């Protein structure tokens, strides 16, 4: 299950960063997804940590993929999306799947990895009763998760309220407000702020010393993002179109992301790629800070 390189780093107390794979199988279009996946793993290495892409390959939990396995996963159009409600069945059935934040956080923690980078987490949708399993998973998994906010198609204030209810530790990285994925700033205030990787490591150590088992969710704003109001307007337009065309369920997110890319003439895709690399780099810094004591 553990790649030899990852196992060796963990055994020696060297920094390791877990990476989710639903962004590769479902979040980005082919063949751009492979280039981005490679850019993310490279960013982790350049920042001095070992990348561990987590995925389900033919029924096996894999923590750390070789480049040719990453390539096969990125090209696999039949790869499924593993969250917690189908993870065991995918493993038992010998399937191949990208893992969501919920599944990746669980598997990373099980493997002994303390830091995990993603683009955006799931959250509370506008349609009633559609809430990501990412939220309760973060509530019970002791791990640092670096993201640039929730997917821009979500109900942001409702998601923040839910994080508070669930007791997930939330910190802004060099920001007092919730970043909104493609956009570095929303109007929604955060409960805490840290300004360097060592500060995040201190919060995680305090969380553990307090006996709190929830994740520390670090919100890292994208460096060159899009204006918040502009992205919101595109999201509303794309949602309206999806309703008119009767698109819903599993097809909705890919449809919305593709429409956002079209409406923004590729700017949302560029921001997505940038924030994934930046989050990987920050996660490597946090993993290094945690390993240094
Ligand atoms: N954000 C994106 N694209 C994605 C995801 C998040 O911009 O593909 C993925 C993440 O893996 C996240 C998952 O954990 O979607 C949440 O899915 P759901 O809402 O079905 O739980
Ligand atoms: Mn859902």
């Amino acid at each position: 299950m553990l790649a030899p390189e990852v196992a060796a780093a963990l055994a020696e107390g060297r920094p390791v960063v877990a990476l989710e794979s639903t962004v590769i199988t479902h979040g980005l279009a082919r063949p751009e997804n492979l280039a981005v996946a490679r850019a993310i793993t490279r960013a982790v290495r350049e920042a001095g940590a070992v990348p561990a892409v987590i995925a389900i390959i033919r029924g096996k939990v894999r923590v750390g993929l070789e480049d040719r396995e990453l390539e096969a996963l990125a090209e696999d159009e039949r790869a499924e999306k593993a969250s917690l409600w189908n993870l065991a069945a995918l493993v038992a059935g010998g399937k191949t799947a990208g893992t969501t934040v919920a599944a990746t956080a669980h598997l990373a923690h099980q493997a002994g990895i303390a830091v995990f980078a993603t683009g955006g987490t799931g959250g509370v949708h506008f349609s009633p009763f559609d809430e990501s399993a990412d939220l309760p998973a973060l509530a019970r998994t002791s791990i640092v998760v670096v993201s640039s906010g929730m997917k821009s198609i979500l109900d942001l204030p409702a998601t923040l309220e839910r994080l508070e209810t669930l007791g997930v530790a939330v910190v802004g990285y060099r920001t007092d407000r919730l970043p909104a994925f493609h956009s570095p700033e929303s109007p929604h205030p955060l409960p805490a702020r840290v300004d360097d990787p060592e500060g995040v490591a201190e919060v995680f150590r305090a969380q553990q010393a307090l006996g709190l088992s929830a994740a520390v969710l670090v919100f890292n704003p994208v460096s060159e993002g899009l204006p918040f109001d502009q992205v919101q307007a595109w999201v509303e337009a794309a949602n309206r179109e999806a309703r008119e065309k009767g698109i819903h369920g599993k097809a909705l997110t890919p449809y919305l992301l593709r429409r956002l890319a079209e409406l923004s003439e590729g700017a949302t895709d560029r921001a997505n790629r940038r924030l994934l690399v930046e989050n990987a780099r920050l996660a490597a810094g946090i993993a290094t800070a945690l390993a240094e004591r």
Side-chain angles (χ1 to χ4, degrees):
M1 150 181 161
L2 280 182
E5 185 193 17
V6 175
L10 288 172
E12 293 163 22
R14 285 186 283 119
V16 175
V17 173
L19 299 163
E20 66 139 316
S21 49
T22 292
V23 64
I24 302 169
T25 55
H26 292 75
L28 299 160
R30 288 178 203 84
E32 165 82 351
N33 63 342
L34 177 60
V36 176
R38 283 180 171 145
I40 297 167
T41 53
R42 205 181 312 124
V44 171
R45 280 189 201 288
E46 283 169 3
V50 173
V53 176
I54 296 186
I56 308 301
I57 309 289
R58 289 188 291 277
K60 296 274 184 293
V61 172
R62 299 294 312 277
V63 178
L65 297 183
E66 307 270 340
D67 186 68
R68 61 182 163 75
E69 295 172 311
L70 196 62
E71 187 173 346
L73 185 69
E75 286 170 358
D76 189 348
E77 287 181 30
R78 287 168 47 205
E80 306 204 35
K81 172 177 164 180
S83 189
L84 294 174
W85 72 337
N86 60 349
L87 182 60
L90 290 167
V91 168
K95 297 291 202 303
T96 291
T99 48
T100 63
V101 169
T104 311
H106 172 77
L107 296 171
H109 181 258
Q110 198 180 41
I113 300 174
V115 185
F116 159 31
T118 179
T121 59
V124 180
H125 288 258
F126 286 102
S127 48
F129 304 111
D130 188 357
E131 292 192 21
S132 177
D134 291 357
L135 296 172
L138 292 172
R140 59 172 179 259
T141 311
S142 182
I143 193 163
V144 177
V145 179
V146 181
S147 88
S148 294
M150 301 60 126
K151 292 190 259 200
S152 30
I153 54 178
L154 295 169
D155 185 335
L156 302 186
T159 304
L160 269 183
E161 291 291 345
R162 188 66 87 232
L163 288 168
E164 181 184 11
T165 303
L166 291 167
V168 176
V170 170
V171 295
Y173 190 76
R174 297 184 183 164
T175 180
D176 297 306
R177 288 176 195 284
L178 178 72
F181 201 67
H182 300 117
S183 170
E185 203 158 90
S186 77
H188 313 297
L190 294 175
R193 166 188 180 131
V194 291
D195 291 294
D196 48 38
E198 291 72 25
V200 178
E202 284 307 321
V203 172
F204 186 56
R205 288 194 191 104
Q207 177 85 349
Q208 290 179 310
L210 289 162
L212 295 168
S213 53
V216 173
L217 183 51
V218 181
F219 286 123
N220 183 32
V222 64
S223 64
E224 290 165 51
L226 300 162
F228 181 70
D229 292 340
Q230 175 67 82
V231 177
Q232 290 297 100
W234 286 328
V235 168
E236 272 160 39
N239 264 313
R240 208 174 324 114
E241 290 171 15
R243 259 196 314 279
E244 284 162 11
K245 293 184 178 168
I247 295 164
H248 55 85
K250 248 180 23 183
L252 183 60
T253 298
Y255 175 81
L256 293 177
L257 293 176
R258 191 170 53 77
R259 278 303 287 149
L260 286 183
E262 287 166 5
L263 292 166
S264 68
E265 292 170 354
T268 54
D269 280 346
R270 287 191 292 278
N272 200 350
R273 182 186 176 127
R274 192 174 313 118
L275 66 87
L276 281 162
V277 167
E278 290 174 354
N279 292 345
R281 198 176 292 140
L282 174 57
I286 296 166
T288 303
L290 280 168
E292 272 167 3
R293 213 181 62 183

